[in-house]
Amino acid sequence: YYPHPKSCIYKLNSSVNISHELRTPLTLIVAPLQELLSNVTGHWEREKLLYIQRNTKRLLHLVNQLMDYRRAELGIFELKPVYANIYKRVLNTFLNYESLAKRKDIDYNFYSELQDEDVLFDGTYLDLIVNNLLSNAFKYTGDGESVSVKLYKENKNVVLQVIDTGVGIPEDKQQKIFERFYQIENGHEGSGIGLSLVQRLVELHHGQITLVSEVGEGSTFSIYIPQDKSVYSADELLGSSGELEGQRVYSTNAHDMYVDDVEFVEVEINEKEEGSKHGTILIAEDNEELRQYLSNGLSAQFNLIEAENGQQALDLLKDNDVDLILSDVMMPVMDGIKLCKSVKQNLRTCHIPVYLLSAKVDVKYQLKGLQVGADDYIPKPFSMEVLIAKILNMLRTRYRIFEHFSNTAEIEPDKITSNAMDEEMLKKAIAIVEKNISNVEFSTEQFASEMNMSRSNLHLKLKAITGKSAIDFIHKIRFNRACQLLKEGKYTVSEISFMVGYNTPSYFAARFKKYMGCLPTEYGKK
Ligand code: ADP
């Protein structure tokens, strides 16, 4: 009896839905558990909680892997190979295991001959393959051993190798490990799905997988990805026409679950300083229980503003200065994708990082979010500590950018902005100030009007991108020019002060000293 294809789809849909239904309540187990763990001091209690946590995570990982496997089996992952930089793609996944390598003191290396060449592959497939192979390599390789990844071309194939010097696989088991649910009894946790998924994905990619292994010596898995276009169907190659290309360059976010499977996530949160909050977060979440949970978890470190849907969130953004938006994807009235899109398409708000939170691990949903400019996609369930650490990292990155802006003479729009709209606005701002550099009358009013912005919006925007006010921004550009001119040594200080828009040399000298730490004459001599 072969089920009708439609019943397969039905089953798939229901299994995807069930997994979806499983993930949300699991959020409410895993996350508070993590919190309990960080507060519990008794050794016995801690052991038990760790045990619960380990098994809950295993369950989750199993759900995820089953979903992946079923989707691969039913061809839901459409193969869309495109020409792209495989080195960068693999490096991304590679780096996700770096901290684990450090902890296990594993000699972890990446060799590539394909840095500067675009080759044919499907990024989503590749991410899943590399994640599974690396997660296995780390699982079955002891402390102090080595794991490496190699990328090169051989005949008409791109070859990806994951090599470990771990426990190895007995010869009589080497065929079997690719079977679904097959595991070698060795005291390690696992589901037996990983390698069968890898093999299925490699087959769907028209490639081959080989294994060379010896017990006690280690294992080498090699994946051959064909470069001969004729092995792919016309449909599959459609992706390279350009239209689909952009949709498929994002990572699957799946690495979290693979790393989690091997690694116990330890997050240190040192920043719980009394009284000082790290910024303002706007939470958009329709589920009251989850909103409450988020607010409880985040309120100690951040100022919070809460909205029940995307529309409310947009309204709140109008008169609140927000450092980060944390939004559910599925919400009534306006969903998270639409909210993100509006935020990112509005110059006033596009610098605000948006984290989308959703139970749907489906790549398509993640892509949608990332395509409208979301800064990260956080699959439910998430651990509160990991979420907090992610938010703090993001905020810290911004402070680092502000520091970079303060410490460098040149303003580098591409380095300090995170999206095209901000970059363009910053370039325009620089051009306007430079055009007016000797204009003594040039004010922030004129600046704003040439920017087609209100003065307060210009101020807020520059502050958000550079950490500095509009007036400081103007000063910075003027002093940079002054420094250049002083270095050239062709003009006197008073000439230079007029050239950079100061009508009195003494005011120029005083401001210059404040800004640069020395007088213009001293600077010229140095
Ligand atoms: P699991 O979830 O059990 O790791 P896999 O399908 O990924 O499932 O792997 C199947 C079996 O293959 C594992 O139980 C393990 O015994 C063996 N295996 C996989 N990768 C390696 C490796 N790099 N080194 C040694 N054994 C491995």
Side-chain angles (χ1 to χ4, degrees), residues 39 123 180 229 295 343 346 394 399 410 435 449 477 511:
N39 288 319
R180 189 150 50 135
K229 271 189 160 180
S295 129
V343 168
N346 183 337
M394 174 58 96
Y399 288 127
E410 278 298 311
K435 190 183 80 190
S449 99
I477 293 177
R511 293 236 32 115

Side-chain angles (χ1 to χ4, degrees), residues 61 65 132-133 135-141 162 164 166-170 173 176-186 188-198 211 213 218-221 261:
H61 187 54
Q65 279 195 314
N132 273 294
L133 293 181
S135 126
N136 276 344
F138 279 100
K139 224 189 301 185
Y140 303 110
T141 300
V162 175
D164 67 59
V167 298
I169 302 160
K173 307 251 161 76
K176 291 201 175 113
I177 57 165
F178 294 103
E179 287 168 18
R180 189 150 50 135
F181 304 127
Y182 185 84
Q183 289 176 278
I184 303 171
E185 275 308 319
N186 51 15
H188 283 278
E189 290 175 354
S191 59
I193 296 174
L195 283 178
S196 51
L197 174 64
V198 168
L211 164 65
S213 183
S219 314
T220 297
F221 288 88
D261 195 37

Side-chain angles (χ1 to χ4, degrees), residues 449-462:
S449 99
E450 288 198 34
M451 290 292 294
N452 281 328
M453 291 169 86
S454 74
R455 222 177 60 140
S456 65
N457 272 350
L458 175 66
H459 179 78
L460 277 180
K461 194 68 209 185
L462 283 174

Side-chain angles (χ1 to χ4, degrees), residues 56-66 257-258 261:
T56 320
K57 283 192 169 174
R58 272 189 71 186
L59 182 62
L60 247 172
H61 187 54
L62 185 64
V63 169
N64 287 329
Q65 279 195 314
L66 270 173
M257 64 202 194
Y258 294 102
D261 195 37

Side-chain angles (χ1 to χ4, degrees), residues 108-165:
Y108 187 40
N109 294 298
F110 191 5
Y111 306 95
S112 166
E113 293 172 9
L114 301 173
Q115 277 95 310
D116 311 309
E117 196 178 340
D118 281 354
V119 299
L120 199 55
F121 69 98
D122 181 304
T124 312
Y125 275 52
L126 195 72
D127 288 346
L128 280 169
I129 291 170
V130 180
N131 265 309
N132 273 294
L133 293 181
L134 276 178
S135 126
N136 276 344
F138 279 100
K139 224 189 301 185
Y140 303 110
T141 300
D143 294 4
E145 302 273 353
S146 85
V147 170
S148 27
V149 176
K150 278 190 190 167
L151 266 178
Y152 56 91
K153 247 184 179 170
E154 192 180 87
N155 302 326
K156 282 185 168 174
N157 292 294
V158 160
V159 188
L160 166 94
Q161 284 187 323
V162 175
I163 305 154
D164 67 59
T165 57

Side-chain angles (χ1 to χ4, degrees), residues 64-126:
N64 287 329
Q65 279 195 314
L66 270 173
M67 279 171 75
D68 282 344
Y69 187 82
R70 278 190 73 76
R71 288 191 304 213
E73 201 177 35
L74 289 170
I76 299 284
F77 289 131
E78 289 165 276
L79 179 74
K80 291 284 175 213
V82 294
Y83 282 98
N85 189 317
I86 194 168
Y87 162 74
K88 283 193 191 149
R89 188 85 190 205
V90 174
L91 183 65
N92 245 334
T93 309
F94 177 89
L95 292 175
N96 288 325
Y97 292 82
E98 212 167 44
S99 64
L100 180 58
K102 217 169 180 183
R103 195 158 322 153
K104 289 188 74 167
D105 202 15
I106 279 179
D107 183 17
Y108 187 40
N109 294 298
F110 191 5
Y111 306 95
S112 166
E113 293 172 9
L114 301 173
Q115 277 95 310
D116 311 309
E117 196 178 340
D118 281 354
V119 299
L120 199 55
F121 69 98
D122 181 304
T124 312
Y125 275 52
L126 195 72

Side-chain angles (χ1 to χ4, degrees), residues 401 404-405 407-417 423 426-427 430 465 476 480:
I401 289 171
H404 178 80
F405 179 81
N407 296 337
T408 49
E410 278 298 311
I411 303 175
E412 300 156 300
D414 56 325
K415 287 209 183 122
I416 61 178
T417 57
E423 188 178 334
L426 198 56
K427 281 184 177 155
I430 295 171
I465 303 182
K476 183 177 174 90
N480 283 350

